[in-house]
Amino acid sequence: MKFLVDAQLPPALGRAIAKHGHNAAHVSDLGLQSADDSVIWSDAIRLGAVIVGKDEDFVTRRISRPPAPPVVWVRIGNVSRRHLLRGFLPLLPQIVAFVDAGESIVEVRDG
């Protein structure tokens, strides 16, 4: 599965997802660190990638603007990179399963 990690999340998340066998990039890897959400959205569609972000705007856009990539909405608060990875990575198989099953928005919460 392909993932595109948004700027509010650390590049380490993209690298960690890739280490778990997926094609993953952070927006900074693609020169999109300061890009508008619409540019990131278009790139995700072009790449066939799932957007991983903290921004509720992607969720709203997913609901209202087809064609639309799936969105993983990370609702883990402002925590250390280590805490974020410990909270997210164990859920990655479930996230993939939900997206494979056709879920358009997968919400990831802490605890």
Side-chain angles (χ1 to χ4, degrees):
M1 184 167 289
K2 293 181 183 177
F3 292 92
L4 181 57
V5 179
D6 192 33
Q8 294 96 350
L9 294 166
L13 181 58
R15 291 190 298 271
I17 293 170
K19 284 182 182 176
H20 281 79
H22 300 282
N23 182 339
H26 188 270
V27 291
S28 63
D29 298 331
L30 304 176
L32 299 174
Q33 181 72 22
S34 300
D36 183 75
D37 285 351
S38 63
V39 173
I40 295 166
W41 186 262
S42 295
D43 249 34
I45 291 170
R46 181 181 60 78
L47 296 168
V50 175
I51 294 176
V52 180
K54 291 183 93 170
D55 191 345
E56 188 173 358
D57 291 346
F58 285 124
V59 173
T60 302
R61 185 181 292 256
R62 175 61 180 95
I63 293 167
S64 65
R65 295 191 187 152
V71 174
V72 175
W73 187 19
V74 179
R75 308 266 327 260
I76 298 172
N78 293 327
V79 296
S80 69
R81 178 181 63 193
R82 188 168 151 202
H83 183 87
L84 172 69
L85 295 176
R86 273 196 307 218
F88 186 93
L89 292 175
L91 299 174
L92 187 56
Q94 289 175 292
I95 292 167
V96 170
F98 284 136
V99 172
D100 280 345
E103 292 294 330
S104 58
I105 300 168
V106 178
E107 189 174 350
V108 176
R109 291 179 174 256
D110 193 12

